[in-house]
Amino acid sequence: MNKLGILLSGRGSNFEAIAAAVREGRVEAEIAVVISNKPAAPGLARAKELGIPAESIPSKGTRRDEYDRRVASRLKEYGVDLVCLAGFMRLLSAGFVEEFPERIVNIHPSLLPAFPGLDAQAQALEHGVRYAGCTVHFVDEQLDSGPIIAQAVVPVLEGDDEHALSARILKEEHRIYPEAIQTIVSGDYRIVGRRVFGGRVAS
Ligand code: GAR
């Protein structure tokens, strides 16, 4: 059985979308644990309500490599074999990435490689792009940069502010993230260079 470990820092709506997909059999895995660097993250409380093991490992005041070692060892104690970042607002160290080679995935609210980093939707609006979207990708030691598993596109409309655009993108995030996770847990894919083949490509 595939065991997912979810890392989040906030609201946790992507976590909830994954949890619903697991419940409904659209993702053939179990969520072994949810870990947050923010003790007050609403996503953590929601995980507890759903009866999923959930714990906070506060990052404040801890060196990055030491923090990442702690999180990695906790994930291993839970037998996690795929780490899913769901609004986890921290850069992961090379040491963490090496602990889970090609077994960490992330969702980012832009069409990467455009607009990595914080406030991707605001960056898109400011740049004046006509299409925005979201990307599920493998995580490597650089920011928002690993091989792309799935993307979805949404239009940017004239009246959009950051809130409206974010909501349109988020709906697509909730659709493609569980699909991409299912592709990975099914094993029905291969990575060639930066390209991921075999899974269904969402658009
Ligand atoms: C999502 O929009 C996700 O794509 C983004 O944070 C939000 C988390 O929402 N992640 C990043 O920007 C990572 N660079 P959620 O907590 O409701 O899932």
Side-chain angles (χ1 to χ4, degrees):
M1 180 52 130
N2 278 286
K3 292 193 172 193
L4 309 182
I6 310 271
L7 301 186
L8 56 78
S9 301
R11 182 177 53 186
S13 71
N14 275 289
F15 150 64
E16 287 205 57
I18 297 164
V22 166
R23 264 198 316 275
E24 293 160 17
R26 288 181 284 117
V27 167
E28 294 164 301
E30 77 177 88
I31 300 177
V33 66
V34 176
I35 294 176
S36 178
N37 59 321
K38 302 276 182 201
L44 210 51
R46 185 68 187 127
K48 287 178 187 156
E49 279 169 24
L50 291 171
I52 296 170
E55 49 190 74
S56 73
I57 305 182
S59 48
K60 217 169 166 205
T62 311
R63 275 182 34 191
R64 183 178 306 281
D65 52 350
E66 168 58 23
Y67 182 78
D68 284 5
R69 256 198 304 277
R70 259 190 230 170
V71 174
S73 72
R74 205 71 189 114
L75 289 167
K76 295 212 163 177
E77 280 163 26
Y78 277 97
V80 165
D81 41 35
L82 181 65
V83 181
C84 304
L85 309 185
F88 187 62
M89 305 310 265
R90 282 177 64 84
L91 249 184
L92 290 170
S93 59
F96 187 96
V97 175
E98 278 161 23
E99 290 290 329
F100 296 94
E102 290 176 354
R103 301 304 286 175
I104 311 170
V105 293
N106 180 41
I107 182 125
H108 183 74
S110 79
L111 294 172
L112 290 172
F115 313 128
L118 291 177
D119 301 323
Q121 304 94 330
Q123 292 186 57
L125 279 176
E126 195 167 311
H127 198 89
V129 294
R130 300 304 176 107
Y131 293 92
C134 50
T135 303
V136 182
H137 64 95
F138 286 104
V139 172
D140 61 19
E141 53 296 320
Q142 278 152 40
L143 178 66
D144 298 327
S145 93
I148 290 170
I149 305 160
Q151 289 187 307
V153 178
V154 304
V156 178
L157 304 180
E158 276 198 5
D160 275 353
D161 57 11
E162 198 183 329
H163 177 77
L165 180 60
S166 298
R168 194 174 306 121
I169 294 171
L170 192 64
K171 199 162 167 241
E172 293 301 301
E173 294 186 38
H174 295 166
R175 181 174 68 81
I176 69 167
Y177 204 5
E179 284 181 6
I181 291 170
Q182 174 58 18
T183 296
I184 304 309
V185 300
S186 74
D188 180 24
Y189 70 99
R190 67 205 154 88
I191 307 173
V192 183
R194 286 198 46 89
R195 299 180 71 188
V196 180
F197 293 99
R200 192 165 95 67
V201 178
S203 61

